[in-house]
Amino acid sequence: GLERTGALEPLRRAILSRGSVERTPVHELMLRYMPAVVATSAFLNNTPVVAILIPVVTELATRARLAPSKLLIPLSYAAVLGGTLTLVGTSTNLVVVSLAREAASSIGEDLQFGFFEIGMV
């Protein structure tokens, strides 16, 4: 789907076009995509972010002659981390805020969470 449309091409080029990756350390390869994943996952659901990047990260691993899992597992972790930064980053955050507000109101308190405040927890 997305691969055939070319929609991922700009992102693919940004991640893959920095020269040869054969002897690049794994942590440097992760830095090519992890900041974008964290930032994107803060505002979009984690699952589609990871699904969209699987082909790109798999190609990066193939070019670096690494097992794809060496880069795919950190991809997933980066998405989870990004999801914890904002109120809408993951549905769990919305549930927790709702439960916290209910608990606070039961003791007469008014608990308010800003968009980024849950990331500080």
Side-chain angles (χ1 to χ4, degrees), residues 8-119:
L8 293 179
E9 194 56 30
L11 181 60
R12 187 184 155 289
R13 266 188 267 124
I15 293 172
L16 298 173
S17 69
R18 297 185 193 157
S20 176
V21 294
E22 277 188 37
R23 296 175 191 251
T24 305
V26 173
H27 69 276
E28 287 181 25
L29 295 172
M30 286 186 228
L31 285 173
R32 290 186 178 201
Y33 63 87
M34 288 180 80
V37 171
V38 170
T40 305
S41 291
F43 302 99
L44 300 174
N45 191 308
N46 301 348
T47 305
V49 171
V50 171
I52 286 169
L53 285 170
I54 284 174
V56 178
V57 173
T58 300
E59 184 176 346
L60 181 64
T62 301
R63 287 184 180 191
R65 297 184 181 181
L66 291 171
S69 62
K70 294 241 187 228
L71 298 179
L72 289 172
I73 292 171
L75 169 67
S76 178
Y77 289 159
V80 170
L81 174 65
T84 65
L85 297 179
T86 64
L87 205 53
V88 298
T90 181
S91 58
T92 306
N93 293 355
L94 295 171
V95 172
V96 168
V97 167
S98 175
L99 291 172
R101 289 179 82 180
E102 274 183 38
S105 81
S106 73
I107 59 169
E109 295 290 326
D110 182 32
L111 182 63
Q112 298 294 319
F113 272 93
F115 193 73
F116 292 101
E117 283 183 81
I118 198 155

